[in-house]
Amino acid sequence: MPLESSDRRASSIALWAAASLFRKNVFAVVVISALLVIPCFWHSRIQACDLGSHVYNAWLAQLIERHQVSGLTITRQWSNILFDLLLLQVGNLVGFMAAEKIVVSFAVLVFFWGCFSFLAAASGSPPWKLAPFLLVLTYGYVFHMGFMNYYLSIGFAFFALALAWRRGAGNWLGAAVLSAISLLAHPIGFVLFVTAVAYVSRWRVLSHWTRLALPAIAIISVVAMKFYFATHEAFEASWHATGFFQLLGQDQLNLFGHRYVVLSWISLAWAITIALAAIYDWIFRARSPSTDLRLAIELYLLAVIATFCLPENFHVGLYAGWIGLLVSRLTIVTAVFGLLALACLRLPRWSIHGNILCALLFFLFLYQDTGKLDRMERTAREAIEPLAPGTRIVAVANPPEDWRIQFIYHSIERACIGRCFSFANYEPASLQFRVRALPDNYVVTTSVDQSDDMSSGDYIVKEEDLPLTSIYQCDEADFAQLCALPLRAGQKTEDPESEPARQSAPGAPDHQAEN
């Protein structure tokens, strides 16, 4: 085919290509979309850690708009708000229980089909064989930590990249609009779009050998960034502690215990196996891969190196809270680039069987473990129901020791909707979200450190904190069993059954400590 004709095809309107793909595969698209949203409906509530906090704070935003609560305000900001805005607006129409199902289902579809579109555009063909892996990734670590604004941002960013990959004025305009929506959700998705477009655009115009300068410059940049964070104490940066081989993308499968770790390594081994089989077919059977295979491998390796160099947690003066779990979030991008490398190969037909088996095991495990969290939230509602309306509570709940997914106490906050206030709610104090707490309000603490200590159970209650009720795990044999008891000064928030610690008078010697 003449080069001019090839360029014209590459720069055709990507939306037309997507519409054509949908018409040709309408049954597959509908079936996959239906399968995608099943985990959003298989329990009474969607169990995804921070999601509970998002729903609870959307309810607070509703109270603020209706002037039904004092001491809280809504601030204007340009990012980290899309999911919360959708949740509030849909919640105003149909209630928050239904809104949660609708908006999360929308986010799931955006993420999956955004990634799918990117893989199709970059590899040159729809990656149907990799759909099971992409289904798993859609419900991986980022989803179950409840990072919903970030999750939506990445989905829209990959949609934008799919348009930009094909080039052409119409595609660039669409990509610009989608990248702006990505920014509204979270800044990281927008940064992903800009950096990936810049890299790919330069890669395409450079000759064969000069292209080597691009990964070299990228590696030098991220290494320099590592030194910058390490040498500036104000950031208080800390790095991912699980080792380099947990940064290959498979860690997104590691959720609720050791069996997920085993499955993640099996899935990675299977991905390597089918890649080697495709390379064998390339060498001995002339089944040539996509022309963008080298670029896909570069993007994947650079993503791995970037996550190795970037800090996991750091602090900036703009926010009261930390920017946390950065690398743990970014490995979802690494995983998508890994799938792109696979999509650029001509995978053998039998590869789909192993992909489906990995996905079936993952979702079987997922149904069982999220069912435990759903039961925990049900016991929280039972514990909260007898409390007087407007009671201030502290939610304290820790997951089993081998679970990677933390912050399960946020589902207790969601159980508070319409009934009580979570005094340890972290969003208003962090200054990263729309709902903010005013000084001396009754509803929520204005201290990030106090919020963290309360939720972890380590906070010792002071007289001025009362009245306060602890929703805590009251059965050592069953982490999902929760009870409610009022706290007294001197008690830890996780242990309202204990005797309060002796409180020394201000300025008096602490004889107990001396003993």
Side-chain angles (χ1 to χ4, degrees), residues 480-495:
Q481 185 61 48
L482 303 177
C483 299
L485 276 179
L487 288 158
R488 293 176 287 171
Q491 290 179 319
K492 285 189 173 184
T493 50
E494 71 174 348
D495 194 11

Side-chain angles (χ1 to χ4, degrees), residues 103-131:
V103 178
V104 174
S105 295
F106 169 74
V108 163
L109 292 170
V110 166
F111 180 84
F112 179 90
W113 290 114
C115 294
F116 189 93
S117 299
F118 168 69
L119 297 179
S123 67
S125 61
W128 297 114
K129 293 174 185 173
L130 295 173

Side-chain angles (χ1 to χ4, degrees), residues 51-362:
L51 173 62
S53 179
H54 282 293
V55 180
Y56 172 77
N57 281 280
W59 172 63
L60 290 184
Q62 186 185 72
L63 295 182
I64 296 168
E65 289 184 344
R66 297 176 179 178
H67 307 288
Q68 294 176 333
V69 67
S70 60
L72 298 178
T73 186
I74 296 176
T75 188
R76 291 185 177 181
Q77 59 189 64
W78 51 268
S79 191
N80 204 31
I81 58 173
L82 179 59
F83 182 82
D84 302 290
L85 289 174
L86 292 172
L87 200 55
L88 176 59
Q89 296 307 315
V90 179
N92 285 336
L93 294 174
V94 298
F96 287 109
M97 187 170 180
E100 172 189 309
K101 304 280 190 182
I102 294 169
V103 178
V104 174
S105 295
F106 169 74
V108 163
L109 292 170
V110 166
F111 180 84
F112 179 90
W113 290 114
C115 294
F116 189 93
S117 299
F118 168 69
L119 297 179
S123 67
S125 61
W128 297 114
K129 293 174 185 173
L130 295 173
F133 275 155
L134 198 51
L135 278 166
V136 169
L137 195 59
T138 301
Y139 283 96
Y141 176 81
V142 168
F143 178 90
H144 278 95
M145 285 297 288
F147 299 145
M148 291 300 169
N149 279 305
Y150 171 78
Y151 184 77
L152 261 180
S153 179
I154 297 299
F156 278 114
F158 277 121
F159 261 130
L161 280 172
L163 291 176
W165 202 278
R166 298 178 67 92
R167 293 166 285 180
N171 291 331
W172 280 114
L173 178 61
V177 172
L178 288 173
S179 67
I181 297 174
S182 174
L183 180 60
L184 191 64
H186 198 279
I188 291 181
F190 181 76
V191 171
L192 166 66
F193 171 77
V194 171
T195 54
V197 164
Y199 189 92
V200 173
S201 298
R202 296 310 304 164
W203 193 91
R204 281 172 168 165
V205 299
L206 293 175
S207 60
H208 184 72
W209 290 108
T210 53
R211 285 175 177 171
L212 295 175
L214 278 179
I217 293 171
I219 292 170
I220 291 170
S221 299
V222 294
V223 170
M225 193 177 299
K226 180 180 177 70
F227 279 105
Y228 181 79
F229 277 104
T231 54
H232 287 72
E233 295 182 0
F235 288 119
E236 301 179 67
S238 60
W239 272 262
H240 203 271
T242 57
F244 181 81
F245 290 105
Q246 283 290 345
L247 302 176
L248 304 179
Q250 85 282 4
D251 69 304
Q252 288 292 317
L253 279 68
N254 180 9
L255 306 178
F256 303 105
H258 296 308
R259 59 182 179 172
Y260 290 85
V261 177
V262 174
L263 181 59
S264 71
W265 285 108
I266 291 173
S267 298
L268 178 62
W270 177 252
I272 293 171
T273 299
I274 61 177
L276 292 175
I279 292 171
Y280 176 89
D281 288 344
W282 176 15
I283 296 172
F284 296 103
R285 298 177 181 173
R287 299 190 67 192
S288 300
S290 166
T291 54
D292 282 333
L293 175 61
R294 175 185 163 183
L295 176 56
I297 293 173
E298 277 187 28
L299 291 173
Y300 175 65
L301 293 178
L302 288 173
V304 173
I305 294 169
T307 52
F308 180 74
C309 292
L310 289 171
E312 174 79 334
N313 307 292
F314 64 96
H315 190 270
V316 294
L318 183 63
Y319 304 119
W322 288 75
I323 296 176
L325 301 173
L326 177 62
V327 171
S328 296
R329 301 177 193 222
L330 287 175
T331 55
I332 197 170
V333 177
T334 305
V336 174
F337 286 146
L339 291 180
L340 174 59
L342 288 176
C344 287
L345 295 166
R346 290 198 175 186
L347 300 176
R349 291 182 179 179
W350 48 262
S351 63
I352 187 66
H353 303 301
N355 300 350
I356 291 174
L357 180 60
C358 289
L360 287 175
L361 287 173
F362 177 80

Side-chain angles (χ1 to χ4, degrees), residues 42 259-260 358-369:
W42 63 19
R259 59 182 179 172
Y260 290 85
C358 289
L360 287 175
L361 287 173
F362 177 80
F363 283 104
L364 173 62
F365 296 164
L366 202 60
Y367 177 78
Q368 295 170 343
D369 291 313

